[in-house]
Amino acid sequence: MMRLLSDDMRSSHLAESGGESSQAGGNVAVAIIDEPTFVRKSTILLRFLRERLAAVVRPSDSLNRCAGIPESGRNALYQFPSPELTFLMGSDTLVRLFSPKYYPSEQAMVQMLRKFLSPDEEGSRIVCADRLRGTANLNAVINLDKAQLEVAHEFVQSDRITFIDIGAEEQTYSSTEVRAKVAARDGSWMRLVTTAIASYIITHEIYLG
């Protein structure tokens, strides 16, 4: 279903751009990572992307023509693109990000989150859907205890975590609701997914229990 969604994203982009092909429209991929936490997903994805970029991106021709500079030196002079990751998640997932039970210890959690989100290290970001429409009260968005809130505030205040208003209609979209309505044979679930995904769910009789 994620592959179907990526195809729909490309099609939507092409439609919005008037049917003209573009690099952005084709820049969609699906990856499966056997890691339960976002901090580990970030490390693995960044490693892969950096290795991939190093394999396909080369110094410019003008730099390559520099007389007297060996290839190793030219590569050292060239600044390879540095990938940055932004993770989109809902508030329920954000709560788990700050839950010590998913880490070796609370201290390890703080250290791993700083590596994950600090611009001086991995520099990843989080964008969280704010179903409370722009509330400034972090605890109103995610239910955390005092210690967890202190950790979360560090990253919210440094703009590593951003809350966005996803809009009134988008707030009604829920994967839990889709699964429940499919199981109940309530066809209204189809408005919450793309046509391709709806067809896949029906064809493979997913979520029927």
Side-chain angles (χ1 to χ4, degrees), residues 69-116:
I69 301 179
E71 182 178 355
S72 60
R74 293 196 301 266
N75 288 338
L77 289 172
Y78 181 72
Q79 295 295 314
F80 284 95
S82 179
E84 295 181 355
L85 303 177
T86 299
F87 292 89
L88 309 180
M89 61 182 68
S91 57
D92 55 342
T93 303
L94 190 61
V95 169
R96 294 194 293 273
L97 186 73
F98 294 103
S99 176
K101 71 179 182 180
Y102 294 106
Y103 304 87
S105 68
E106 188 167 341
Q107 182 179 9
M109 177 187 75
V110 174
Q111 293 174 344
M112 293 171 73
L113 286 171
R114 284 175 176 162
K115 177 185 177 184
F116 171 43

Short mmCIF file of all heavy atoms in Angstrom, two decimals, residues 69-116:
data_model
loop_
_atom_site.label_atom_id
_atom_site.label_comp_id
_atom_site.label_asym_id
_atom_site.label_seq_id
_atom_site.Cartn_x
_atom_site.Cartn_y
_atom_site.Cartn_z
N ILE A 69 46.03 18.20 -9.26
CA ILE A 69 45.32 17.75 -8.05
C ILE A 69 44.86 16.31 -8.27
O ILE A 69 44.07 16.05 -9.18
CB ILE A 69 44.11 18.65 -7.73
CG1 ILE A 69 44.56 20.09 -7.52
CG2 ILE A 69 43.38 18.13 -6.50
CD1 ILE A 69 43.42 21.04 -7.23
N PRO A 70 45.36 15.37 -7.49
CA PRO A 70 44.94 13.97 -7.66
C PRO A 70 43.46 13.80 -7.36
O PRO A 70 42.83 14.65 -6.73
CB PRO A 70 45.80 13.20 -6.66
CG PRO A 70 46.15 14.23 -5.62
CD PRO A 70 46.29 15.53 -6.36
N GLU A 71 42.89 12.67 -7.78
CA GLU A 71 41.46 12.44 -7.61
C GLU A 71 41.05 12.51 -6.14
O GLU A 71 40.02 13.07 -5.80
CB GLU A 71 41.07 11.07 -8.18
CG GLU A 71 39.56 10.78 -8.07
CD GLU A 71 39.18 9.46 -8.68
OE1 GLU A 71 40.05 8.80 -9.28
OE2 GLU A 71 38.00 9.09 -8.55
N SER A 72 41.86 11.93 -5.25
CA SER A 72 41.52 11.98 -3.82
C SER A 72 41.46 13.41 -3.32
O SER A 72 40.61 13.76 -2.50
CB SER A 72 42.56 11.18 -3.02
OG SER A 72 43.86 11.73 -3.21
N GLY A 73 42.35 14.26 -3.83
CA GLY A 73 42.34 15.66 -3.43
C GLY A 73 41.13 16.39 -3.97
O GLY A 73 40.55 17.23 -3.28
N ARG A 74 40.74 16.10 -5.21
CA ARG A 74 39.56 16.75 -5.79
C ARG A 74 38.31 16.38 -5.02
O ARG A 74 37.45 17.21 -4.74
CB ARG A 74 39.41 16.34 -7.27
CG ARG A 74 40.53 16.85 -8.17
CD ARG A 74 40.14 16.75 -9.63
NE ARG A 74 39.83 15.39 -10.06
CZ ARG A 74 40.71 14.57 -10.61
NH1 ARG A 74 41.97 14.95 -10.77
NH2 ARG A 74 40.36 13.35 -11.00
N ASN A 75 38.21 15.09 -4.63
CA ASN A 75 37.06 14.66 -3.85
C ASN A 75 37.01 15.34 -2.49
O ASN A 75 35.94 15.65 -1.96
CB ASN A 75 37.07 13.14 -3.67
CG ASN A 75 36.74 12.40 -4.96
OD1 ASN A 75 36.11 12.97 -5.85
ND2 ASN A 75 37.19 11.17 -5.07
N ALA A 76 38.18 15.59 -1.92
CA ALA A 76 38.24 16.25 -0.61
C ALA A 76 37.78 17.69 -0.72
O ALA A 76 37.18 18.25 0.20
CB ALA A 76 39.66 16.18 -0.05
N LEU A 77 38.07 18.34 -1.88
CA LEU A 77 37.67 19.73 -2.08
C LEU A 77 36.17 19.85 -2.33
O LEU A 77 35.56 20.87 -2.01
CB LEU A 77 38.42 20.33 -3.27
CG LEU A 77 39.92 20.61 -3.06
CD1 LEU A 77 40.55 21.02 -4.39
CD2 LEU A 77 40.12 21.69 -2.01
N TYR A 78 35.58 18.81 -2.91
CA TYR A 78 34.16 18.87 -3.28
C TYR A 78 33.28 18.63 -2.07
O TYR A 78 33.50 17.70 -1.30
CB TYR A 78 33.87 17.83 -4.35
CG TYR A 78 32.43 17.83 -4.81
CD1 TYR A 78 31.94 18.86 -5.61
CD2 TYR A 78 31.57 16.81 -4.42
CE1 TYR A 78 30.62 18.86 -6.02
CE2 TYR A 78 30.25 16.81 -4.84
CZ TYR A 78 29.79 17.84 -5.64
OH TYR A 78 28.47 17.83 -6.03
N GLN A 79 32.28 19.47 -1.89
CA GLN A 79 31.33 19.32 -0.79
C GLN A 79 30.13 18.50 -1.26
O GLN A 79 29.30 18.99 -2.02
CB GLN A 79 30.87 20.70 -0.29
CG GLN A 79 31.98 21.52 0.33
CD GLN A 79 32.52 20.88 1.60
OE1 GLN A 79 31.77 20.43 2.45
NE2 GLN A 79 33.84 20.84 1.72
N PHE A 80 30.07 17.24 -0.85
CA PHE A 80 28.96 16.40 -1.25
C PHE A 80 27.67 16.90 -0.58
O PHE A 80 27.70 17.40 0.54
CB PHE A 80 29.20 14.95 -0.84
CG PHE A 80 30.18 14.23 -1.72
CD1 PHE A 80 31.52 14.17 -1.39
CD2 PHE A 80 29.75 13.64 -2.90
CE1 PHE A 80 32.42 13.51 -2.21
CE2 PHE A 80 30.65 12.99 -3.72
CZ PHE A 80 31.99 12.92 -3.38
N PRO A 81 26.53 16.76 -1.28
CA PRO A 81 25.26 17.15 -0.67
C PRO A 81 25.04 16.40 0.65
O PRO A 81 25.36 15.21 0.76
CB PRO A 81 24.22 16.73 -1.72
CG PRO A 81 24.98 16.65 -3.00
CD PRO A 81 26.37 16.22 -2.64
N SER A 82 24.51 17.10 1.63
CA SER A 82 24.26 16.48 2.93
C SER A 82 22.77 16.28 3.11
O SER A 82 22.01 17.25 3.23
CB SER A 82 24.81 17.37 4.05
OG SER A 82 24.56 16.79 5.31
N PRO A 83 22.29 15.03 3.10
CA PRO A 83 20.85 14.79 3.24
C PRO A 83 20.35 15.16 4.63
O PRO A 83 21.07 15.01 5.62
CB PRO A 83 20.71 13.29 2.98
CG PRO A 83 22.05 12.72 3.34
CD PRO A 83 23.06 13.78 2.99
N GLU A 84 19.14 15.66 4.68
CA GLU A 84 18.47 15.94 5.94
C GLU A 84 17.11 15.27 5.93
O GLU A 84 16.43 15.26 4.90
CB GLU A 84 18.31 17.45 6.15
CG GLU A 84 19.63 18.19 6.30
CD GLU A 84 19.44 19.67 6.54
OE1 GLU A 84 18.27 20.13 6.50
OE2 GLU A 84 20.44 20.38 6.76
N LEU A 85 16.70 14.73 7.06
CA LEU A 85 15.46 13.98 7.15
C LEU A 85 14.42 14.74 7.95
O LEU A 85 14.73 15.34 8.98
CB LEU A 85 15.70 12.62 7.80
CG LEU A 85 16.73 11.71 7.13
CD1 LEU A 85 16.91 10.43 7.94
CD2 LEU A 85 16.32 11.37 5.70
N THR A 86 13.18 14.69 7.47
CA THR A 86 12.04 15.21 8.22
C THR A 86 11.03 14.10 8.36
O THR A 86 10.57 13.53 7.36
CB THR A 86 11.39 16.42 7.50
OG1 THR A 86 12.35 17.47 7.39
CG2 THR A 86 10.18 16.91 8.29
N PHE A 87 10.69 13.75 9.59
CA PHE A 87 9.76 12.67 9.86
C PHE A 87 8.38 13.26 10.16
O PHE A 87 8.25 14.14 11.02
CB PHE A 87 10.22 11.83 11.05
CG PHE A 87 11.47 11.03 10.76
CD1 PHE A 87 12.72 11.59 10.99
CD2 PHE A 87 11.38 9.74 10.27
CE1 PHE A 87 13.88 10.86 10.72
CE2 PHE A 87 12.53 9.01 9.99
CZ PHE A 87 13.78 9.57 10.23
N LEU A 88 7.37 12.79 9.44
CA LEU A 88 5.99 13.22 9.66
C LEU A 88 5.31 12.21 10.58
O LEU A 88 5.37 11.01 10.33
CB LEU A 88 5.24 13.31 8.33
CG LEU A 88 5.92 14.10 7.21
CD1 LEU A 88 5.04 14.09 5.96
CD2 LEU A 88 6.21 15.52 7.64
N MET A 89 4.68 12.70 11.61
CA MET A 89 4.02 11.77 12.54
C MET A 89 2.85 12.42 13.25
O MET A 89 2.75 13.66 13.31
CB MET A 89 5.02 11.24 13.57
CG MET A 89 5.66 12.29 14.45
SD MET A 89 6.88 11.60 15.63
CE MET A 89 8.19 11.07 14.54
N GLY A 90 1.97 11.59 13.75
CA GLY A 90 0.86 12.07 14.54
C GLY A 90 1.25 12.18 16.01
O GLY A 90 2.32 11.72 16.43
N SER A 91 0.37 12.77 16.80
CA SER A 91 0.69 13.01 18.20
C SER A 91 0.86 11.71 18.98
O SER A 91 1.66 11.64 19.92
CB SER A 91 -0.39 13.87 18.85
OG SER A 91 -1.66 13.25 18.73
N ASP A 92 0.14 10.64 18.60
CA ASP A 92 0.28 9.38 19.32
C ASP A 92 1.67 8.79 19.13
O ASP A 92 2.25 8.21 20.05
CB ASP A 92 -0.80 8.39 18.87
CG ASP A 92 -0.82 8.17 17.37
OD1 ASP A 92 -0.25 9.01 16.64
OD2 ASP A 92 -1.41 7.18 16.92
N THR A 93 2.22 8.95 17.93
CA THR A 93 3.58 8.49 17.67
C THR A 93 4.60 9.36 18.39
O THR A 93 5.61 8.86 18.91
CB THR A 93 3.87 8.48 16.16
OG1 THR A 93 2.89 7.67 15.51
CG2 THR A 93 5.25 7.92 15.86
N LEU A 94 4.35 10.65 18.44
CA LEU A 94 5.26 11.57 19.13
C LEU A 94 5.37 11.23 20.61
O LEU A 94 6.44 11.35 21.21
CB LEU A 94 4.80 13.01 18.93
CG LEU A 94 5.78 14.10 19.38
CD1 LEU A 94 7.08 14.01 18.60
CD2 LEU A 94 5.16 15.48 19.21
N VAL A 95 4.28 10.81 21.21
CA VAL A 95 4.30 10.40 22.62
C VAL A 95 5.29 9.27 22.82
O VAL A 95 6.09 9.26 23.77
CB VAL A 95 2.89 9.97 23.09
CG1 VAL A 95 2.96 9.30 24.45
CG2 VAL A 95 1.97 11.18 23.16
N ARG A 96 5.28 8.30 21.92
CA ARG A 96 6.19 7.15 22.04
C ARG A 96 7.65 7.56 21.86
O ARG A 96 8.55 6.95 22.44
CB ARG A 96 5.81 6.06 21.04
CG ARG A 96 4.46 5.42 21.32
CD ARG A 96 4.27 4.14 20.53
NE ARG A 96 4.18 4.37 19.10
CZ ARG A 96 3.06 4.65 18.46
NH1 ARG A 96 1.92 4.76 19.14
NH2 ARG A 96 3.05 4.84 17.16
N LEU A 97 7.88 8.61 21.07
CA LEU A 97 9.25 9.09 20.87
C LEU A 97 9.88 9.51 22.18
O LEU A 97 11.09 9.36 22.38
CB LEU A 97 9.24 10.27 19.89
CG LEU A 97 10.61 10.80 19.45
CD1 LEU A 97 11.28 9.83 18.49
CD2 LEU A 97 10.48 12.18 18.81
N PHE A 98 9.07 10.03 23.12
CA PHE A 98 9.59 10.51 24.40
C PHE A 98 9.29 9.56 25.55
O PHE A 98 9.32 9.95 26.71
CB PHE A 98 9.01 11.89 24.70
CG PHE A 98 9.48 12.95 23.73
CD1 PHE A 98 8.66 13.40 22.72
CD2 PHE A 98 10.76 13.48 23.84
CE1 PHE A 98 9.09 14.36 21.83
CE2 PHE A 98 11.21 14.44 22.96
CZ PHE A 98 10.37 14.89 21.94
N SER A 99 9.01 8.32 25.23
CA SER A 99 8.74 7.32 26.26
C SER A 99 10.01 6.54 26.57
O SER A 99 10.55 5.84 25.70
CB SER A 99 7.64 6.37 25.80
OG SER A 99 7.43 5.35 26.75
N PRO A 100 10.53 6.62 27.81
CA PRO A 100 11.78 5.93 28.17
C PRO A 100 11.75 4.42 27.97
O PRO A 100 12.80 3.80 27.82
CB PRO A 100 11.96 6.28 29.65
CG PRO A 100 11.19 7.55 29.85
CD PRO A 100 10.01 7.43 28.92
N LYS A 101 10.56 3.82 27.96
CA LYS A 101 10.50 2.36 27.84
C LYS A 101 11.00 1.86 26.50
O LYS A 101 11.29 0.66 26.35
CB LYS A 101 9.08 1.85 28.11
CG LYS A 101 8.07 2.18 27.02
CD LYS A 101 6.71 1.61 27.37
CE LYS A 101 5.67 1.87 26.28
NZ LYS A 101 4.35 1.30 26.63
N TYR A 102 11.12 2.75 25.52
CA TYR A 102 11.63 2.35 24.21
C TYR A 102 13.14 2.54 24.09
O TYR A 102 13.70 2.35 23.01
CB TYR A 102 10.92 3.14 23.10
CG TYR A 102 9.45 2.82 23.01
CD1 TYR A 102 8.48 3.74 23.46
CD2 TYR A 102 9.00 1.61 22.48
CE1 TYR A 102 7.13 3.45 23.39
CE2 TYR A 102 7.64 1.31 22.41
CZ TYR A 102 6.71 2.24 22.86
OH TYR A 102 5.38 1.96 22.79
N TYR A 103 13.78 2.92 25.20
CA TYR A 103 15.22 3.17 25.21
C TYR A 103 15.87 2.41 26.36
O TYR A 103 15.18 1.99 27.29
CB TYR A 103 15.49 4.67 25.37
CG TYR A 103 14.84 5.54 24.31
CD1 TYR A 103 13.53 6.00 24.48
CD2 TYR A 103 15.52 5.88 23.15
CE1 TYR A 103 12.93 6.79 23.51
CE2 TYR A 103 14.93 6.67 22.18
CZ TYR A 103 13.63 7.13 22.36
OH TYR A 103 13.03 7.91 21.41
N PRO A 104 17.20 2.23 26.33
CA PRO A 104 17.86 1.52 27.42
C PRO A 104 17.65 2.16 28.78
O PRO A 104 17.57 1.47 29.80
CB PRO A 104 19.34 1.57 27.01
CG PRO A 104 19.32 1.71 25.53
CD PRO A 104 18.12 2.54 25.22
N SER A 105 17.56 3.50 28.81
CA SER A 105 17.33 4.23 30.05
C SER A 105 16.86 5.63 29.69
O SER A 105 16.92 6.04 28.52
CB SER A 105 18.61 4.32 30.89
OG SER A 105 19.57 5.14 30.24
N GLU A 106 16.39 6.39 30.69
CA GLU A 106 15.95 7.75 30.43
C GLU A 106 17.12 8.62 29.99
O GLU A 106 16.98 9.46 29.11
CB GLU A 106 15.29 8.34 31.68
CG GLU A 106 14.62 9.69 31.42
CD GLU A 106 13.70 10.11 32.55
OE1 GLU A 106 13.30 9.24 33.35
OE2 GLU A 106 13.40 11.31 32.64
N GLN A 107 18.28 8.42 30.61
CA GLN A 107 19.46 9.18 30.22
C GLN A 107 19.86 8.86 28.78
O GLN A 107 20.20 9.75 27.99
CB GLN A 107 20.63 8.88 31.16
CG GLN A 107 21.89 9.68 30.85
CD GLN A 107 23.02 9.37 31.82
OE1 GLN A 107 22.93 8.44 32.61
NE2 GLN A 107 24.08 10.15 31.74
N ALA A 108 19.80 7.58 28.43
CA ALA A 108 20.12 7.16 27.06
C ALA A 108 19.13 7.77 26.08
O ALA A 108 19.49 8.15 24.96
CB ALA A 108 20.12 5.64 26.96
N MET A 109 17.86 7.86 26.47
CA MET A 109 16.85 8.47 25.61
C MET A 109 17.21 9.90 25.26
O MET A 109 17.16 10.29 24.09
CB MET A 109 15.48 8.43 26.31
CG MET A 109 14.37 9.11 25.51
SD MET A 109 12.80 9.24 26.42
CE MET A 109 13.20 10.60 27.55
N VAL A 110 17.58 10.69 26.27
CA VAL A 110 17.94 12.08 26.03
C VAL A 110 19.14 12.18 25.10
O VAL A 110 19.16 12.98 24.15
CB VAL A 110 18.22 12.81 27.36
CG1 VAL A 110 18.72 14.23 27.10
CG2 VAL A 110 16.96 12.84 28.23
N GLN A 111 20.15 11.35 25.33
CA GLN A 111 21.35 11.38 24.50
C GLN A 111 21.03 10.98 23.06
O GLN A 111 21.51 11.62 22.11
CB GLN A 111 22.41 10.43 25.09
CG GLN A 111 22.96 10.89 26.43
CD GLN A 111 23.89 9.86 27.06
OE1 GLN A 111 23.90 8.69 26.66
NE2 GLN A 111 24.66 10.28 28.05
N MET A 112 20.21 9.96 22.90
CA MET A 112 19.87 9.49 21.55
C MET A 112 19.01 10.50 20.82
O MET A 112 19.16 10.71 19.61
CB MET A 112 19.16 8.13 21.64
CG MET A 112 20.07 7.01 22.15
SD MET A 112 19.20 5.46 22.52
CE MET A 112 18.83 4.89 20.86
N LEU A 113 18.09 11.16 21.54
CA LEU A 113 17.25 12.18 20.91
C LEU A 113 18.08 13.39 20.49
O LEU A 113 17.83 13.99 19.44
CB LEU A 113 16.14 12.61 21.87
CG LEU A 113 15.00 11.60 22.06
CD1 LEU A 113 14.08 12.05 23.18
CD2 LEU A 113 14.22 11.41 20.77
N ARG A 114 19.06 13.76 21.29
CA ARG A 114 19.92 14.88 20.93
C ARG A 114 20.75 14.56 19.69
O ARG A 114 20.95 15.41 18.83
CB ARG A 114 20.81 15.26 22.11
CG ARG A 114 20.05 16.02 23.19
CD ARG A 114 20.88 16.29 24.42
NE ARG A 114 20.14 17.09 25.40
CZ ARG A 114 20.46 17.19 26.67
NH1 ARG A 114 21.54 16.54 27.15
NH2 ARG A 114 19.73 17.94 27.49
N LYS A 115 21.24 13.33 19.61
CA LYS A 115 21.97 12.93 18.40
C LYS A 115 21.03 12.95 17.19
O LYS A 115 21.41 13.41 16.10
CB LYS A 115 22.55 11.53 18.58
CG LYS A 115 23.26 11.01 17.33
CD LYS A 115 23.72 9.57 17.50
CE LYS A 115 24.36 9.06 16.21
NZ LYS A 115 24.73 7.63 16.30
N PHE A 116 19.82 12.47 17.39
CA PHE A 116 18.81 12.39 16.33
C PHE A 116 18.42 13.78 15.81
O PHE A 116 18.36 14.01 14.59
CB PHE A 116 17.60 11.64 16.90
CG PHE A 116 16.37 11.63 16.05
CD1 PHE A 116 16.41 11.43 14.69
CD2 PHE A 116 15.11 11.78 16.65
CE1 PHE A 116 15.25 11.40 13.92
CE2 PHE A 116 13.95 11.76 15.91
CZ PHE A 116 14.02 11.56 14.53
#
